[in-house]
Amino acid sequence: MHVIVDALGSFRMGPGSWRPLLEAGGHVGIFNPFRWTLRLNRLLRRNHRKIAVFDGAAACIGGFGYGDRWAGNPPAGWWDVGARMEGPVVAQFREVFARDWRHCAKVPLRPFPGVSFARPRGREDLRVLPSALGRRLPFRFMRRAISRARTRAYICTTYFIPSPLLRYALRRAARRGVDVRLLLPTPRREHFVFRFAGRRHYGSLLAAGVRIFEYQPSFLHAKYALADRDWALIGSSNLDTLSGLVNLEADLEARSRGAVRALTDRFLRDARAAREITIGRWSGRPLWTRILERLFGYFDPWL
């Protein structure tokens, strides 16, 4: 068993935390351990991927971390969404993990015994989109899907600090009649800075016809998007600068009606447990909220 954890994400875990796994024959890789450096991008670059590969035959992806926050049911636990796959796409997951393992351990990952990756094409059109420093690949595909959408475009994300290009694509899609909806966390459970920095964009989106829902039962940690009936994206990327430019992320692009149908059903069920933000409700927010939105909005490029 091989486990990769980010140094920042696991900083509360001391060396003894891994002893049972190591004594059982497992291996642990620490991504980007803290070292003295003047390179800010070195300090900020974190591994935010959430993937798992089992015997080279199955893989999982989503927003789930391994911690108590995900262990309980709402409202105690965080709400998240993931996907499990089998077939040829698993080889792509293993390749991503193997690259990260070489970065951590400086040794190649041993092949899975008795597993061949030369398999026939699967029934679904799936591919992994691993991000790298400065590469906004998942965002580019998302903007393209929204720009081409004809009936609907739904996005669920934890941290909503959209780029100008994405905001433009969302507004333009809504104005041409596409059913555009956003499912976001309730401010009561969100981090203070992100709460106001992201919400300042609500006004222009609502005016264009975008519908915005804030999930109420617990903290929403899911990250996925869908367009029409044949495109979906699910993984670890938030809609913020850290995910777009700094962190290592992994997302699954699915051109599959079955995957899109399942995510659409999930989105609509969760939206029923959310509070819709209307133009009237948004216009009536307090003055102090507007001031904080403008203040923290200046930090958009760094969030």
Side-chain angles (χ1 to χ4, degrees):
M1 182 176 185
H2 294 73
V3 177
I4 297 174
V5 295
D6 183 80
L8 179 61
S10 61
F11 76 96
R12 294 183 179 179
M13 301 182 68
S17 302
W18 304 109
R19 188 173 296 115
L21 175 61
L22 296 173
E23 291 176 350
H27 307 271
V28 177
I30 308 297
F31 186 89
N32 198 5
F34 296 111
R35 299 186 181 95
W36 170 252
T37 177
L38 295 177
R39 294 173 56 189
L40 185 60
N41 65 328
R42 169 75 180 176
L43 290 172
L44 293 178
R45 191 184 188 193
R46 313 314 320 175
N47 192 325
H48 194 247
R49 309 196 214 271
K50 275 79 171 177
I51 61 174
V53 186
F54 305 97
D55 293 334
C60 292
I61 192 170
F64 292 97
Y66 291 89
D68 293 339
R69 292 169 174 170
W70 288 269
N73 294 321
W78 288 8
W79 185 242
D80 227 316
V81 175
R84 181 183 183 276
M85 289 73 54
E86 297 180 355
V89 73
V90 176
Q92 299 178 34
F93 282 88
R94 187 188 185 280
E95 182 180 348
V96 172
F97 188 95
R99 285 203 304 265
D100 290 350
W101 182 258
R102 284 196 298 270
H103 179 87
C104 296
K106 311 302 181 186
V107 295
L109 188 67
R110 296 193 304 272
F112 289 106
V115 175
S116 171
F117 294 103
R119 299 178 180 177
R121 182 176 176 84
R123 294 175 298 174
E124 306 289 355
D125 187 358
L126 309 173
R127 64 171 169 171
V128 180
L129 300 177
S131 69
L133 187 65
R135 291 183 60 202
R136 304 170 69 100
L137 197 60
F139 292 3
R140 191 188 315 158
F141 283 95
M142 183 184 297
R143 289 199 311 270
R144 183 184 302 173
I146 293 169
S147 299
R148 296 176 178 177
R150 293 294 175 264
T151 57
R152 63 188 173 198
Y154 297 167
I155 296 176
C156 174
T157 188
T158 308
Y159 301 119
F160 183 66
I161 314 290
S163 68
L165 287 175
L166 181 57
R167 297 199 302 270
Y168 174 77
L170 291 169
R171 292 195 301 265
R172 188 177 180 186
R175 285 170 178 152
R176 68 172 183 266
V178 177
D179 179 14
V180 182
R181 306 187 192 189
L182 303 175
L183 182 60
L184 309 173
T186 176
R188 298 193 311 273
R189 301 178 185 273
E190 200 173 4
H191 294 296
F192 185 80
V193 175
F194 285 94
R195 176 193 310 178
F196 295 103
R199 284 168 65 89
R200 80 186 190 103
H201 300 299
Y202 280 17
S204 63
L205 295 170
L206 290 168
V210 177
R211 298 180 67 185
I212 300 175
F213 300 82
E214 292 181 341
Y215 187 71
Q216 300 296 308
S218 64
F219 181 62
L220 180 72
H221 198 258
K223 307 108 169 36
Y224 62 91
L226 59 98
D228 292 339
R229 298 179 183 273
D230 57 2
W231 182 89
L233 187 75
I234 182 171
S236 64
S237 292
N238 291 298
L239 293 183
D240 59 14
T241 302
L242 288 177
S243 284
L245 295 178
V246 181
N247 289 341
L248 296 185
E249 307 281 2
D251 298 271
L252 177 76
E253 184 187 39
R255 296 184 177 275
S256 158
R257 286 180 175 262
V260 174
R261 185 165 53 249
L263 281 176
T264 301
D265 291 344
R266 179 75 269 161
F267 186 99
L268 295 175
R269 284 199 298 270
D270 289 344
R272 287 195 289 270
R275 178 175 183 254
E276 184 168 6
I277 307 300
T278 61
I279 281 281
R281 184 172 287 167
W282 180 246
S283 300
R285 69 196 189 282
L287 176 62
W288 67 268
T289 301
R290 300 169 190 248
I291 294 173
L292 289 175
E293 288 164 4
R294 180 170 294 273
L295 173 63
F296 288 109
Y298 290 116
F299 295 95
D300 267 16
W302 299 278
L303 295 176

